Amino acid sequence: MPRRAYQAEFRRKVVEEHVKGRRRVSGICHEYGISAMTFRCWKDQYQAGEAESLVAPDRLAQQLRQAQRRIDEELQLKGV
């Protein structure tokens, strides 16, 4: 079975369903078609204070690209 990439927002949502006491791990894994091992990895990251890594990698990358474009534009305007 090929490895599937999940969006950061999805991973955060799934973990928070359990962490906030709404759902059991087995039910979450069954509903979303993920393994318990995958869930545990996401939850460990979340609880280790790495919620950002679950929340925003895609958004962070986009923000970094936008910031780099703004820097490049400023440098062009200054003739550097």
Side-chain angles (χ1 to χ4, degrees):
M1 176 180 281
R3 184 180 177 122
R4 182 167 175 191
Y6 294 94
Q7 295 291 321
E9 289 293 328
F10 172 80
R11 295 188 307 258
R12 181 193 53 78
K13 175 186 164 231
V14 169
V15 170
E16 285 184 348
E17 282 188 33
H18 173 69
V19 171
K20 292 182 177 179
R22 292 187 218 143
R23 310 261 321 270
R24 294 181 59 170
V25 173
S26 59
I28 292 170
C29 292
H30 178 73
E31 178 179 339
Y32 293 110
I34 60 173
S35 70
M37 176 72 92
T38 296
F39 180 85
R40 279 194 302 272
C41 289
W42 295 351
K43 184 179 175 190
D44 289 346
Q45 289 173 346
Y46 184 90
Q47 290 180 325
E50 298 174 14
E52 281 284 317
S53 69
L54 292 175
V55 174
D58 303 327
R59 190 173 16 195
L60 180 60
Q62 180 183 15
Q63 290 172 345
L64 289 172
R65 284 191 300 273
Q66 290 171 345
Q68 185 61 51
R69 272 188 241 121
R70 286 192 302 269
I71 291 168
D72 292 343
E73 289 170 2
E74 289 290 323
L75 290 174
Q76 281 182 337
L77 290 173
K78 292 181 179 183
V80 176

